[in-house]
Amino acid sequence: AEERPHLEVAPVDLGEIVATVAERMRPRFAAAGVRLQVDPVPSARCLADRARIEQALTNLLANAAGYTASGGATSVSVAVGDGQATVSV
């Protein structure tokens, strides 16, 4: 049987995590000639593993930077409603 990864679940602000990861990734977008648009990020409190969320967002944004044509743009947004938060890249 495959062992499941251990999760460190704790209260986090998904909006803050998205803003932090996006800022960390800005140099990669600049180097690729891609504009990174971060829509205003609302507070989105939830229970999650911060490190895993950061890893997933970093991977998504790295792919966006690598696969968006130079001169193009990638946008990141967080939507909150109905008891859930959605991150869009």
Side-chain angles (χ1 to χ4, degrees), residues 16-74:
E16 183 270 326
I17 294 172
V18 168
T20 297
V21 171
E23 285 308 308
R24 187 180 319 140
M25 296 296 292
R26 274 197 192 281
R28 180 177 270 184
F29 279 84
V34 176
R35 185 171 53 85
L36 177 59
Q37 168 68 43
V38 181
D39 294 343
V41 179
S43 178
R45 302 289 303 166
C46 61
L47 291 175
D49 183 321
R50 182 183 184 98
R52 300 261 184 214
I53 296 293
E54 285 185 358
Q55 179 182 28
L57 286 169
T58 298
N59 290 346
L60 284 170
L61 290 175
N63 286 341
Y67 291 102
T68 301
S70 182
T74 295

